[in-house]
Amino acid sequence: MISKHLQSFMRIGMSALFASAVLGFSAGSVMAEKVLRVAPHADLKNLDPIWTTAYITRNHGYMVYDTLIAMDADLNPQPQMLEGWDVSDDGLTYVFTLRDGLKWHDGAPVTSIDCIASIMRWSKRDGMGQKLADFTKSLTRVDDKTFKLVLNKPYGLVLASLGKISSNVPFMMPVRLAMMDAFEAVPEVVGSGPFIFDKDAWVPGAKVVYRKNTAYVPRSEPASYASGGKRVHVDTVEWIYIPDAATTMNALVAGEIDFWESPAVDLVPSMEDNADITIKVIDPLGTQGWLRPNHLNPPFDNPKARQALLHMVNQEDYLRAIIGDEKFWSTCPAYFMCGTPLDTDIGSEALVNQDLEKAKALLKEGGYNGETLILMDPTDIPVLHGASLVTAQMLRDIGAKVEVQAMDWSTLTSRRAEKKSIADGGWNIFHTYSTGADVSSPIANIGISGGCVEKAWFGWPCDRDGPDSLEGLRDAFSEESDPAKQKAIATKLQARAYEVVPYVNYGQWFQPTAYRSSLKGVLISPVPFFWNIELN
Amino acid sequence: MFAYVIRRILATIPVMGVVAIFVFLLLHLTPGDPAAVIAGDYASPADVERIRETLGLNRPLHIQFFTWAGRLFQGDLGISIFSKVPVIKLIGQRIEPTLALATTTIFFAVLVAVPLGVLAAWKSGTWIDRSVMIFAVLGFSVPIFIIAYSMIWTLSIHLHWFPVQGYKSFLIQTGTGIDGAAIIGIGFEGVCRDSGRSGCGLVPFFRHITLPSVALGLVYVALIARITRASVMEVLTEDYIRTAHAKGLSSRVVLIRHALKNASVPIVTVIGIGIALLLGGVVVTESVFNIPGLGRLTVDAILHRDYPIIQGLILIFAGVYVLINLLVDISYTFLDPRIRY
């Protein structure tokens, strides 16, 4: 009896298997979907690019949202969602007009009210947005496609702010989402960008799926950085988060993924000879390393001790330790990155000529009395771990006593917020890095702010009194619209920064990207974009 | 027996309670701030503080605990601080790959290890025995990631027999119901139930799960083979084995019916421990083979201090440990008639 039942069950089971195999084959034959498989640099955990400054969420933002204005390859603002803008002769009134054919992913048209609400939400979270809000007298709707910004005094960075390329990017959202608290994440992802987020297919920690937005109308101009026509040549883009670098490399070599955003530099030589793989630096601005002293605790509350760090650092030592291959780094004394419009070497003599004796003397002059310096070392981020070890050794070389405290990055982000003295668990130094897109403007570069405990970034440099202070010069820069005059102010700002030393720049490097050579149209840009790419 | 099982199940409640309190306190007293991670590296201190406030992370610890425990009693494990996705949904998305990996690994380990162990005991002192024991020592000594990368390099990159990474479900869409919803079943190859694209089913499943199972299973093969060998060798010296031989039974029957059955209690114990240990072992394997399972979810949540996910996962892991121990204890009564509860 049992045997009969079993036989019958097996017959049914095998029939079902056969039928599904046939069905599966048919389905597979019909669906010739073009899928671009990307291994991103991190897992997408938050979906709201205004709520967080995380780069992975910024990149997600570019997939699903659009911006009013976008930067081109010369870092000039170009209309993106806008048809254009008019500026009054006194520079106080901007009238923005939306272009035709803009629609949200739910089919509703994009209106000026949506844009006003989005700008207001963004300006509560972003540094450049807050600055713009300080200068704003009113932001009002003219009609469904037009809105007007009136300033209380001239501000030179209106277009640069609305076209900001990196976090937080002023992405446009429907008014119902943009009216939400800027400190809470929006509950749904509805943009007007070239891709639609597939929420059902999202597996946090593993996979993100974007479908082509067939209703999107790209601009006619060629794509250039974030500006121009966002033409999508694939049906789907999948972000497959692979935490292990060796596995990602193997997957790329085997053709299981098409694009690896940030390959580990030590694995690049293993792929360079493979004709199926292209290795290319697609971010021309690069990344800048920061050694951040705590300006509240001795000895780095004294500018002499901070200047000692300038004489101590040799950028080449850091870059060889953390990046290695010379193709991917260059020494650079510019606070606003080398190769950008504000590039200058003024004031950098101490940084470019390492002098350990001078550093030792300055540290002593700065009040250092042999106390133990606390250096926080995030061991889970190889670049920062390497930089921490180099700094620790150099500090010992100039006679300092150093305690390297190993921790993960998450712990460091909470420890660095502590303003306590060393005896109570405070800190002296940590390292981080920032991309050129975030550093190349004195206003976007938060590391250079001298806003003290109230406004400055962690480490709290304080230099805000008078027009020649860090804050005074940043204000002057923001009020100026003439590029030549802006450059002159930025040059003075850098000279001042080399006196005050808000942070020490330990070098500039260029993260390569690896992708299958069959991909065409990969864009050069500080942010990886997935429009314009064709699968062959 | 029934009363014993009920008692053991009831005993899990205080165990889970202690685990819950311990994990909650440990997590919240450990340095690290999810608000700082959410805000990102370039957020201002004021922004971080504001996010902490909206997440309720600045409330007193006991209030946070009772809020969480209250939800837990209603079967709600909470919502991820980062993705805002319910923890139960996140675990649901990840449980199939981990269960599949654990099951195939244990099947592979038992199917290989028990015959090897019995063979080694039977041929004790010969080259066969020594070869099995050398293999067992190697299985213990070589880290999983070395085995895994070696297998990927040879079998995936060079021979193209298996994919490098990823997981494919054995479940496929077999049809559509009258309400329009997909009917899910098992088939050789077909459309995935989540993505709606082809590439799922038993064939892709086994292509993707074979290497991870073998890589992870080798250490358990070593463990189980050693215990099997030792247990069977001990049993083979018993009088009843000599009697069985004297009765004229073949060696195969003596080994399987008499020796292996009587040696099975320690073997089952070590298999049970192995299943529990697998939960830890899958973390490395899931990372190397990029399998989106519970192990990776745990590591990611710890690194980002996503408290609700960590708490939910540890409670589930603790429950699984308790359940496996209970099943092992119950299995003794079937294997050894002298054991009664």
Side-chain angles (χ1 to χ4, degrees), chain A residues 403-423:
Chain A
E403 182 181 327
V404 179
Q405 294 187 348
M407 59 191 73
D408 65 0
W409 179 250
S410 185
T411 302
L412 191 148
T413 57
S414 64
R415 277 283 305 278
R416 74 181 179 188
E418 298 286 355
K419 295 170 188 145
K420 296 171 183 168
S421 67
I422 298 300

Side-chain angles (χ1 to χ4, degrees), chain A residues 71-138:
Chain A
M71 288 293 170
D72 66 12
D74 298 320
L75 295 177
N76 290 323
Q78 301 292 345
Q80 181 53 236
M81 290 171 77
L82 295 177
E83 190 64 49
W85 54 80
D86 292 314
V87 187
S88 65
D89 291 341
D90 60 5
L92 291 176
T93 304
Y94 287 72
V95 177
F96 299 103
T97 307
L98 293 168
R99 66 186 168 98
D100 292 328
L102 300 176
K103 278 185 182 169
W104 299 115
H105 294 161
D106 59 11
V110 176
T111 67
S112 51
I113 288 292
D114 297 314
C115 300
I116 290 169
S118 298
I119 292 170
M120 288 171 73
R121 184 167 186 264
W122 162 76
S123 67
K124 287 176 186 143
R125 293 304 307 272
D126 182 70
M128 284 184 87
Q130 285 161 12
K131 203 88 181 165
L132 178 61
D134 291 344
F135 283 82
T136 298
K137 187 174 173 188
S138 65

Side-chain angles (χ1 to χ4, degrees), chain A residues 298-466:
Chain A
F300 302 119
D301 57 345
N302 187 316
K304 295 270 185 201
R306 298 196 298 272
Q307 285 163 9
L309 296 174
L310 287 176
H311 288 278
M312 177 193 84
V313 165
N314 176 18
Q315 290 187 339
E316 195 173 326
D317 290 343
Y318 282 84
L319 294 164
R320 284 195 189 285
I322 62 178
I323 303 296
D325 194 332
E326 288 180 30
K327 282 200 299 282
F328 301 122
W329 58 261
S330 64
T331 57
C332 169
Y335 263 94
F336 307 114
M337 306 292 284
C338 291
T340 64
L342 303 182
D343 175 2
T344 169
D345 62 358
I346 193 159
S348 64
E349 296 76 15
L351 182 66
V352 296
N353 301 306
Q354 187 189 34
D355 185 343
L356 297 181
E357 285 309 313
K358 184 89 188 269
K360 201 171 187 173
L362 279 167
L363 191 64
K364 203 167 172 62
E365 275 181 58
Y368 180 67
N369 288 318
E371 61 267 33
T372 301
L373 302 179
I374 304 299
L375 192 161
M376 297 193 292
D377 173 11
T379 52
D380 55 336
I381 301 183
V383 163
L384 300 183
H385 176 51
S388 301
L389 296 183
V390 175
T391 296
Q393 186 53 48
M394 287 185 169
L395 283 168
R396 290 181 187 117
D397 289 347
I398 62 168
K401 207 156 58 170
V402 189
E403 182 181 327
V404 179
Q405 294 187 348
M407 59 191 73
D408 65 0
W409 179 250
S410 185
T411 302
L412 191 148
T413 57
S414 64
R415 277 283 305 278
R416 74 181 179 188
E418 298 286 355
K419 295 170 188 145
K420 296 171 183 168
S421 67
I422 298 300
D424 294 328
W427 56 274
N428 291 111
I429 289 174
F430 75 90
H431 297 77
T432 188
Y433 53 76
S434 191
T435 63
D438 285 316
V439 176
S440 53
S441 153
I443 305 303
N445 185 334
I446 51 169
I448 208 160
S449 162
C452 308
V453 171
E454 298 82 19
K455 281 192 166 175
W457 194 63
F458 307 98
W460 309 282
C462 194
D463 187 44
R464 59 185 174 188
D465 297 330

